[in-house]
Amino acid sequence: MSSNSDKVKIIFGLKIRQLRLDKKLSLSEVAEKSGLSISYLNEIEKGKKYPKTEKIMALSDALNIDYDSLVSLKLSKQLEPIAELLNSNILTELPLEIFGVEPADFIELMSEAPAKISAFISTIIEISRNYDMRVEQFYFSVLRSYQEMYDNYFPDIEESAQQFRKLFEISEITSPNDTLLSDILQNFYGYQIEEFTRESHPDLTTIRSVYNPKTSKLLVNGDLSPEQRAFTFGRELGYQFLQLKNRPYISSVIEVNSFEQVLNNFKASYFAGAILINKNVLVDRLTYFFASPKWNGDMMLSIMRLFNATPEMFYHRLSNLMTSHFKINNLFFLRFNNEVDHELFYLTKEMHLAKLHTPHGTALNEHYCRRWVSLTILKDLEKIQKEEGYDSEKVLCKAQVSEYIDTNNHYFVMSLAKPSPPNKKMNSSVTLGFAIDDNLRSMAQFLNDPALPRRKVNETCERCGAVDCAERMKPPLVLDKKHSLERLKQAIASLE
């Protein structure tokens, strides 16, 4: 929606349509009473036309309503949720066109069935309030849908990354380091780069970087690893090379002003991964990896270390290329955070390209299955850190075949666990899971390796009926409630 005048047209059109329907008048009857054509009335109701004063007066007479009430921007209680939507920034900020939806189509849908759309919007708003859903969560949900729709592979950004590598004479087998990318930012784009410490900026210790557009100064956390620095600089180069003006200036999302910022942050991050990890080199190494008859986590780590990339960026890059070059589309990505000596695991990022949405994040504070390799690998890393010290930069790679209890869905799942600087005593795991189907079996030769762990898993303890589970954290409360309801239904059915 481009302007306030568009909102005025839509609100006026909705009021005219609702008044006409309330009075059980057809378009032709209103046309006859007002002296306006049916086609013109149709344009008004769809929010495409706003009549002149004399025509509004004709409509007020035809609908038996006073002029001031008709031109007021206040909608009836029945249509208040639509007014709330129109007065918000959602229609402006969401690029509906990326989903193949034109704003005009959405407005026409509202005008065709305003009461039903109003009820639907009210429901969505109520759900978001009940689950304390912030606008940032909504935007990131939309972004995940966008990624899933395109199988998380974007040829236009890939092409831009190749142009960047060619422009700055970065060879195909080179993964640019943080020094090179820093030099390009400073010498070509006029950045000033300055490190900060816990002592100089104690309130910024959990932030990786902050950019000031007025001074072109980039503050970078001195506790970052070289790979994290490379990604930080690569993302800044993405903003500049792709000419993405509307962007967040803080690396960690504290608040989001628009969906465009979220989308541009994703594009710049994707660009960073593409310049750090050349797709041709990675595809070549992955071809050998999946042809091995034995699962080898060390081989996966050795491939990762060919590039100046964090484990998370490496797995994101894998997700790009598994869909585009290996045609493995049924996959998911998860990232968990876990503080040392704590039993709480936080799912901080997820993406599902698989039609089977297990495992899937839950906002209900349930306890994720402790049999997932995503979680067990974090506890394995914690043990090593307690032996070697928390400054250890150890990275683990493990895998398992997960069979979901009750559904029989099978996944091959591989996880990387690592420390998560600049947060002290915080570890993260990143996971890629692949639905085991004929396509994966033909490609991944190590799936039949007897040394590859196989475990029965579920989503959360509260939903799992596994008997004698040593890893159980909570009783199966949700499952018990479901079974109780089923027994109640059966008892009622037996009475009939």
PDB file of all heavy atoms in Angstrom, residues 411-422:
ATOM      1  N   TYR A 411      15.090 -40.153   9.626  1.00  0.00           N
ATOM      2  CA  TYR A 411      15.962 -39.075   9.164  1.00  0.00           C
ATOM      3  C   TYR A 411      17.418 -39.469   9.405  1.00  0.00           C
ATOM      4  O   TYR A 411      17.748 -40.098  10.419  1.00  0.00           O
ATOM      5  CB  TYR A 411      15.699 -37.773   9.924  1.00  0.00           C
ATOM      6  CG  TYR A 411      14.369 -37.132   9.647  1.00  0.00           C
ATOM      7  CD1 TYR A 411      13.256 -37.414  10.439  1.00  0.00           C
ATOM      8  CD2 TYR A 411      14.224 -36.223   8.594  1.00  0.00           C
ATOM      9  CE1 TYR A 411      12.039 -36.812  10.190  1.00  0.00           C
ATOM     10  CE2 TYR A 411      13.006 -35.628   8.345  1.00  0.00           C
ATOM     11  CZ  TYR A 411      11.913 -35.926   9.138  1.00  0.00           C
ATOM     12  OH  TYR A 411      10.706 -35.336   8.888  1.00  0.00           O
ATOM     13  N   PHE A 412      18.275 -39.067   8.469  1.00  0.00           N
ATOM     14  CA  PHE A 412      19.709 -39.057   8.747  1.00  0.00           C
ATOM     15  C   PHE A 412      20.031 -37.657   9.246  1.00  0.00           C
ATOM     16  O   PHE A 412      19.719 -36.661   8.587  1.00  0.00           O
ATOM     17  CB  PHE A 412      20.536 -39.367   7.502  1.00  0.00           C
ATOM     18  CG  PHE A 412      21.996 -39.049   7.669  1.00  0.00           C
ATOM     19  CD1 PHE A 412      22.786 -39.776   8.542  1.00  0.00           C
ATOM     20  CD2 PHE A 412      22.570 -37.980   6.979  1.00  0.00           C
ATOM     21  CE1 PHE A 412      24.128 -39.471   8.728  1.00  0.00           C
ATOM     22  CE2 PHE A 412      23.909 -37.670   7.152  1.00  0.00           C
ATOM     23  CZ  PHE A 412      24.691 -38.413   8.027  1.00  0.00           C
ATOM     24  N   VAL A 413      20.626 -37.572  10.433  1.00  0.00           N
ATOM     25  CA  VAL A 413      20.852 -36.285  11.093  1.00  0.00           C
ATOM     26  C   VAL A 413      22.321 -36.147  11.452  1.00  0.00           C
ATOM     27  O   VAL A 413      22.903 -37.053  12.056  1.00  0.00           O
ATOM     28  CB  VAL A 413      20.003 -36.174  12.385  1.00  0.00           C
ATOM     29  CG1 VAL A 413      20.148 -34.794  12.993  1.00  0.00           C
ATOM     30  CG2 VAL A 413      18.540 -36.486  12.096  1.00  0.00           C
ATOM     31  N   MET A 414      22.933 -35.026  11.065  1.00  0.00           N
ATOM     32  CA  MET A 414      24.326 -34.783  11.453  1.00  0.00           C
ATOM     33  C   MET A 414      24.431 -33.407  12.100  1.00  0.00           C
ATOM     34  O   MET A 414      23.807 -32.443  11.657  1.00  0.00           O
ATOM     35  CB  MET A 414      25.272 -34.897  10.261  1.00  0.00           C
ATOM     36  CG  MET A 414      24.969 -34.042   9.063  1.00  0.00           C
ATOM     37  SD  MET A 414      26.133 -34.389   7.709  1.00  0.00           S
ATOM     38  CE  MET A 414      25.654 -33.133   6.524  1.00  0.00           C
ATOM     39  N   SER A 415      25.214 -33.361  13.185  1.00  0.00           N
ATOM     40  CA  SER A 415      25.314 -32.142  13.997  1.00  0.00           C
ATOM     41  C   SER A 415      26.754 -31.736  14.216  1.00  0.00           C
ATOM     42  O   SER A 415      27.646 -32.594  14.312  1.00  0.00           O
ATOM     43  CB  SER A 415      24.649 -32.354  15.365  1.00  0.00           C
ATOM     44  OG  SER A 415      23.264 -32.493  15.254  1.00  0.00           O
ATOM     45  N   LEU A 416      26.953 -30.442  14.310  1.00  0.00           N
ATOM     46  CA  LEU A 416      28.228 -29.856  14.720  1.00  0.00           C
ATOM     47  C   LEU A 416      27.988 -29.093  16.016  1.00  0.00           C
ATOM     48  O   LEU A 416      26.996 -28.374  16.139  1.00  0.00           O
ATOM     49  CB  LEU A 416      28.764 -28.897  13.660  1.00  0.00           C
ATOM     50  CG  LEU A 416      29.189 -29.477  12.315  1.00  0.00           C
ATOM     51  CD1 LEU A 416      29.478 -28.357  11.322  1.00  0.00           C
ATOM     52  CD2 LEU A 416      30.433 -30.349  12.467  1.00  0.00           C
ATOM     53  N   ALA A 417      28.876 -29.261  16.989  1.00  0.00           N
ATOM     54  CA  ALA A 417      28.776 -28.511  18.247  1.00  0.00           C
ATOM     55  C   ALA A 417      30.042 -27.704  18.443  1.00  0.00           C
ATOM     56  O   ALA A 417      31.145 -28.176  18.152  1.00  0.00           O
ATOM     57  CB  ALA A 417      28.560 -29.459  19.429  1.00  0.00           C
ATOM     58  N   LYS A 418      29.888 -26.492  18.962  1.00  0.00           N
ATOM     59  CA  LYS A 418      31.014 -25.578  19.083  1.00  0.00           C
ATOM     60  C   LYS A 418      30.762 -24.593  20.212  1.00  0.00           C
ATOM     61  O   LYS A 418      29.611 -24.367  20.607  1.00  0.00           O
ATOM     62  CB  LYS A 418      31.188 -24.788  17.778  1.00  0.00           C
ATOM     63  CG  LYS A 418      29.952 -23.941  17.468  1.00  0.00           C
ATOM     64  CD  LYS A 418      30.108 -23.105  16.236  1.00  0.00           C
ATOM     65  CE  LYS A 418      28.869 -22.254  15.989  1.00  0.00           C
ATOM     66  NZ  LYS A 418      28.602 -21.282  17.058  1.00  0.00           N
ATOM     67  N   PRO A 419      31.810 -23.975  20.736  1.00  0.00           N
ATOM     68  CA  PRO A 419      31.614 -22.832  21.643  1.00  0.00           C
ATOM     69  C   PRO A 419      30.963 -21.691  20.868  1.00  0.00           C
ATOM     70  O   PRO A 419      31.054 -21.632  19.639  1.00  0.00           O
ATOM     71  CB  PRO A 419      33.036 -22.473  22.090  1.00  0.00           C
ATOM     72  CG  PRO A 419      33.860 -23.664  21.765  1.00  0.00           C
ATOM     73  CD  PRO A 419      33.243 -24.312  20.579  1.00  0.00           C
ATOM     74  N   SER A 420      30.324 -20.777  21.586  1.00  0.00           N
ATOM     75  CA  SER A 420      29.586 -19.709  20.916  1.00  0.00           C
ATOM     76  C   SER A 420      30.043 -18.341  21.395  1.00  0.00           C
ATOM     77  O   SER A 420      29.312 -17.623  22.080  1.00  0.00           O
ATOM     78  CB  SER A 420      28.087 -19.878  21.169  1.00  0.00           C
ATOM     79  OG  SER A 420      27.339 -18.989  20.366  1.00  0.00           O
ATOM     80  N   PRO A 421      31.296 -17.944  21.055  1.00  0.00           N
ATOM     81  CA  PRO A 421      31.742 -16.609  21.437  1.00  0.00           C
ATOM     82  C   PRO A 421      30.911 -15.550  20.719  1.00  0.00           C
ATOM     83  O   PRO A 421      30.373 -15.825  19.648  1.00  0.00           O
ATOM     84  CB  PRO A 421      33.204 -16.582  20.970  1.00  0.00           C
ATOM     85  CG  PRO A 421      33.278 -17.608  19.876  1.00  0.00           C
ATOM     86  CD  PRO A 421      32.279 -18.663  20.248  1.00  0.00           C
ATOM     87  N   PRO A 422      30.739 -14.364  21.308  1.00  0.00           N
ATOM     88  CA  PRO A 422      31.436 -13.865  22.510  1.00  0.00           C
ATOM     89  C   PRO A 422      30.795 -14.274  23.831  1.00  0.00           C
ATOM     90  O   PRO A 422      31.235 -13.824  24.879  1.00  0.00           O
ATOM     91  CB  PRO A 422      31.357 -12.349  22.328  1.00  0.00           C
ATOM     92  CG  PRO A 422      30.076 -12.150  21.585  1.00  0.00           C
ATOM     93  CD  PRO A 422      29.938 -13.317  20.664  1.00  0.00           C
TER      94      PRO A 422
END
